[in-house]
Amino acid sequence: MTVTNTETGKLPAGGAPPAVKLTGVSKNFGPVQAVRNVDLELGSGEIVAILGPNGAGKTSTIDIILGLSQPSSGQVSVLGMQPRQAISRGLISAVMQTGGLLKDLTVRETVEYTASLFARSQPASEVLSGAGITAIADRRVGKCSGGEQQRLRFALALLSDPELLVLDEPTTGMDVEGRRNFWGAIRKDAEQGRTVLFATHYLEEADAYADRIVLLRHGRIVADGTASEIKAMAAGRTVRATLPGASEAMLSGIPGADTVEVRGDTVLVHSTDSDATARYLLTSTSAKDLEIAARGIEDAFIALTGDDTEASAANTGAI
Amino acid sequence: MTTARSMTASDLSSRRAPSLGAFNLTALKLEVRRLLRNRRTVIITMVFPIFFFLIFGLNKAYATQKVGHGNVAAFIMISLGLYGAVFAATSGGALVSIERAQGWSRQLRLTPLSPVAYILLKVLTALVLGAGSVAGVFIAGALTNKASMPVYLWVASGLSVWVGSLLFAAFGLFMGYLLPTENVMQLMSLILTLLSFGGGLFIPLNQFPHTVQVICKWTPLYGLNQLVHTPMLGNGVDWTWVVNVLAWLVIFIAGATWRFRLDTARV
């Protein structure tokens, strides 16, 4: 209703528009700046995680992409259209964390109701069996377990065969097994070219299932890259080697080294450029048994989103 | 799903938005079924009016007494039809509140359903239930063979009650957007019962003290109740009744629009 369709039906000439494109998007709630000047472009078929602590602006960003709220400034387009246009064509679906279902409808009625709202949708019976909820099709939604309701939400999201699937903390409340199955299904789905954007605070989930992680802090993107890039960006890698007779003074000039620690015959170099460090150790010293270890994404997360630098410094110091 | 997709411009533009803002009869059918599943709503809109009619409408002391073009039983039948229809209309509108509380309205905003089509669905659901409610009382009136008025008045009275109940669909929507609670109908039952007394649906207003009567004439069911009895009484329309109905209609629609705007801006 509030979206003016300035670009009705007009798609960029030649080739596919990005699944999501945010340009200089900000969102203010009174004096609070929930999203600050965010630029983000998602390509088709990417699985992208938005990761950040509470209040980082994840939900506000997602709401803007879904057209549920308007940015205070900046441009948003989904598949080259206004979000609302994309939604009315069934191109975007979202699975919310909780709620969003009517307790007094049955599972089948919920699917039928939702299907009736799209110009084209898959048959209800197919969707029910695809989601493995045929057996509970005639049960009232209010009587379904949390996991069953989540499967129903997922089934509803796939009804219109969307190009972009947005998941807000999708696996909250699922056990490990459920989470693994859920992500298995999502990955399989994305292989067919569906773009998936999910918000999560499970760091290992972002690490394990996203092709790309966008890290938000105070409404800004503080990091955007693959999980390993983000880990390296925040904390670098630790290069460990056996080098008898080494002294810290002798190793202080190693390329890429942040800190060097010598423990007996073992040298630990904390490096922002582990390749250069390793090359130097192997070619210019007699170091052997070389190991390169990435720091956990949890460390990266804390380092990049932590409020004070001391916390991240202390974190870098510990091995 | 089974074919690899390639997102080209032609693929995207082949996807259509549904017509009529996604309004459709499947959704309407499911809304009505849902409302009928609510025992409280069914009892109040279908059972109570018939029950009250059987108790109060058939009283030998006055039932067959002539009033206007009909008799007292017919008069009471119209009053109770209005009571049921108004309750039905309010219930339909107040569904909004339950749907907001359960997050369903947010989910619907991620579908092609337009806000106007959504409200239209609620209002039509209310009207379907209201039609059932009026028909129930009128059938009870016909079967018990006490209520008497010319056939055209059965039709005219029934239709004016049914259409008039739209005023309370607007009221229900206003309350639905105003009160974010799943128990909104309990509060509504109380308010509607008070308004029914105020409108003179249960007891003629001339039974009340003068001051109370004056206050009652400002309440939202007063004008409507007078108007739906007009065809049968044949006593002409008092302009204050029309003003009462229109004023409350404006208030309810303005209130519903105001809350609706806030709601869609926030969500």
Side-chain angles (χ1 to χ4, degrees), chain A residues 3-11 80-82 85 88-89, chain B residues 13:
Chain A
V3 175
T4 45
N5 299 339
T6 48
E7 303 170 69
T8 308
K10 283 210 82 176
L11 293 162
M81 309 173 208
Q82 300 272 352
Q85 279 179 279
S88 70
R89 293 172 192 207
Chain B
S13 59

Side-chain angles (χ1 to χ4, degrees), chain A residues 16 84 104 109 113 192, chain B residues 1 7 31 33 37 109 111:
Chain A
R84 187 61 223 171
D104 49 1
E109 285 168 345
Y113 194 121
Q192 287 152 14
Chain B
M1 283 276 284
M7 264 205 308
E31 290 282 1
R33 196 188 287 175
R37 208 168 265 169
R109 290 195 57 202
T111 71

